[in-house]
Amino acid sequence: MHKRALGAVAVTGVAALALSACGGSSPTTPSNTAAGTAKATTTGVPETPSGTAAPVRDANVDLVIWTDADRSAAVQKYADEFAAENGVTVKVQISTDTRQQFKDATKVGKGPDVIVGAHDWLGELVQNSTVAPVNLASDVSAKFLPKAIEATKFNGQSYGVPYAVENIGLMYNKDLVPNPPKTMDELVATGEKLVKEGKAKQVLSQFVSKVGNAYFAYPYLSAFEGGGIFGTNAQGGYDPNKVIVDSPGSVKGGEVLADLGKKKVLSTNVDDTNQDALFDSKAAPFMISGPWSVAKAKEAGINYGIAPLPSLEGGGPMKPFLGVQMFYVSSKAKNAALAQEFVTNYIPRKDVQLALFEVGKRPPALKEAYDEVSATDPDVKAWYEAGVDGAPMPNIPAMNSVWGPFGQATADIIAGKAGAQARLDAAAKEIEANIAKG
């Protein structure tokens, strides 16, 4: 959930992946049997809208699914199977901005029945009455990783079925660093030594940018007791009335950011345009990133390793946010029973979870699928272990008020424009004001 996690900062929404173009297709229309009943039919190819336009729903199709380009082929395969098995028509459409386009289309009764998206959209979608609870049986729910199921819930109610989890960790160049550092101090000392020896140009590559990145900055706060973004309520959920970005623990994390900025370990000159390149060109021996960076590292021939984020002096291990990818059912689904059937009976299947895993290589949310891929793919196990102590990214609507102010505050702290205490105090006030405005 990397670029997606920028939220309002980059105005990409939480669109996690760069969306690629996909082959076009003709509109789906039902065909009739001799008995005059609808016969199963799909295009066999996901439908791609023109430019950034929202997909247009075909009123004659029984079940419409919106997804991004990366997952469209895998979703199409099982949409075809579902159509044939149930004697219905199904269309898979590619959306370039699923969350916003879904909200807009649903308001006027032209939205899809099922969407594929991130769990932190949930609170906003529930608030806008655009998604429906899903009827996932308890024995089926128990087959998933507990934190993945936790992320699909809002106010105790489940609103989707998860298929993947993701988080950031520490990638390191094994040719330069045989064993990963356990602490940030060790990481800095090792990196500075390599720079001094001319084997590297900088210590660490991490997305910061001029406007900051709250997703990547959060683990520095979470390493300290009481540090984070929101406190919790009596039920253990995030409480929008308890903003804690300026708590003593959070300020300690901010002071670490300031120190790393002063040492040039972190820089606002590093963003999504050069983060991977710095690691893949061996300019930096370390990179804090996620599964989305692996393919480029492999292409560059980097002998990489993946490890949990390091511990911070005076605190504990940095704990990343967990992102969960899931299937939602629209509250305005044309055929709610069909939508529920597809989401609750197809998505929990191991073969479906494995097919979706092949797109992006994020650890599957289904335990059986995770066990299978982690037994043969060390990267999957490593990413999972890097996030095992993480908490699901807040899925409450108030989180939309956090990304910009908190991200900018951390960029200013790293750049030395303001001290941690004063800048996080100001960010907390701005966040609280944004939440109050709704």
Side-chain angles (χ1 to χ4, degrees):
M1 297 256 78
H2 53 313
K3 292 179 184 176
R4 177 184 55 71
L6 291 174
V9 176
V11 200
T12 58
V14 199
L17 303 169
L19 301 178
S20 60
C22 190
S25 64
S26 58
T28 301
T29 54
S31 58
N32 296 320
T33 63
T37 56
K39 179 182 177 182
T41 176
T42 69
T43 63
V45 179
E47 181 182 270
T48 307
S50 174
T52 58
V56 178
R57 174 161 192 145
D58 185 335
N60 295 316
V61 176
D62 298 312
L63 184 69
V64 174
I65 304 167
W66 282 8
T67 184
D68 64 18
D70 294 311
R71 265 148 289 277
S72 60
V75 174
Q76 182 72 58
K77 174 183 177 181
Y78 292 100
D80 291 345
E81 183 179 319
F82 183 81
E85 184 177 303
N86 292 278
V88 297
T89 55
V90 182
K91 174 173 279 191
V92 175
Q93 296 179 309
I94 295 171
S95 172
T96 57
D97 186 2
T98 305
R99 177 171 56 170
Q100 189 59 50
Q101 291 177 346
F102 170 66
K103 288 192 299 180
D104 293 343
T106 301
K107 287 178 183 177
V108 294
K110 296 183 179 180
D113 306 294
V114 173
I115 63 168
V116 184
H119 86 274
D120 56 304
W121 301 357
L122 181 53
E124 182 181 357
L125 297 181
V126 172
Q127 187 179 59
N128 287 282
S129 302
T130 52
V131 290
V134 297
N135 307 311
L136 193 64
S138 59
D139 60 325
V140 177
S141 179
K143 296 179 180 180
F144 288 88
L145 299 171
K147 287 186 179 180
I149 288 295
E150 178 187 344
T152 67
K153 294 183 177 181
F154 186 74
N155 290 337
Q157 175 67 60
S158 178
Y159 283 90
V161 175
Y163 71 87
V165 296
E166 63 183 10
N167 52 265
I168 57 176
L170 178 69
M171 294 183 69
Y172 61 101
N173 187 322
K174 288 183 175 182
D175 292 337
L176 297 174
V177 187
N179 300 302
K182 300 293 185 183
T183 69
M184 183 60 74
D185 286 347
E186 182 185 353
L187 183 154
V188 172
T190 300
E192 287 180 339
K193 182 173 182 292
L194 290 168
V195 171
K196 187 175 182 180
E197 293 172 347
K199 296 178 180 178
K201 295 181 179 179
Q202 65 185 66
V203 174
L204 171 68
S205 179
Q206 180 188 311
F207 192 149
V208 177
S209 86
K210 302 298 183 183
V211 295
N213 187 305
Y215 180 68
F216 282 87
Y218 165 78
Y220 291 87
L221 278 61
S222 70
F224 295 92
E225 184 176 359
I229 292 176
F230 291 113
T232 55
N233 55 31
Q235 291 73 43
Y238 291 112
D239 188 341
N241 296 311
K242 296 179 180 178
V243 176
I244 60 171
V245 297
D246 59 344
S247 69
S250 294
V251 172
K252 289 179 180 178
E255 289 170 346
V256 172
L257 291 172
D259 181 61
L260 294 175
K262 185 176 182 180
K263 293 177 178 177
K264 307 302 181 185
V265 173
L266 293 178
S267 170
T268 58
N269 291 323
V270 179
D271 56 25
D272 60 342
T273 66
N274 60 357
Q275 176 183 0
D276 288 318
L278 290 168
F279 182 73
D280 298 341
S281 65
K282 301 183 181 181
F286 300 107
M287 175 169 67
I288 291 179
S289 193
W292 48 85
S293 290
V294 168
K296 290 181 180 179
K298 285 183 176 180
E299 284 180 22
I302 301 298
N303 180 21
Y304 66 88
I306 301 163
L309 296 173
S311 295
L312 301 184
E313 184 180 0
M318 297 167 64
K319 296 182 284 289
F321 273 141
L322 297 183
V324 175
Q325 297 293 318
M326 58 191 277
F327 282 72
Y328 293 91
V329 173
S330 171
S331 61
K332 301 293 194 300
K334 176 180 177 180
N335 190 323
L338 268 183
Q340 289 280 347
E341 174 73 14
F342 180 77
V343 170
T344 61
N345 287 329
Y346 262 62
I347 306 309
R349 285 172 26 181
K350 185 174 79 167
D351 60 328
V352 176
Q353 297 265 323
L354 291 175
L356 291 166
F357 160 74
E358 291 301 327
V359 184
K361 301 292 185 178
R362 282 125 170 102
L366 186 72
K367 287 187 281 189
E368 185 182 12
Y370 168 77
D371 289 342
E372 180 171 318
V373 297
S374 64
T376 57
D377 190 332
D379 284 0
V380 173
K381 185 177 181 181
W383 285 121
Y384 174 78
E385 292 176 347
V388 71
D389 292 325
M393 193 184 310
N395 62 11
I396 56 177
M399 191 63 190
N400 289 330
S401 297
V402 173
W403 297 113
F406 177 56
Q408 187 65 65
T410 59
D412 291 346
I413 291 168
I414 290 167
K417 294 181 178 179
Q421 180 74 67
R423 192 62 186 84
L424 290 175
D425 281 345
K429 289 182 174 64
E430 185 177 354
I431 292 167
E432 290 167 347
N434 288 346
I435 292 172
K437 293 175 184 175

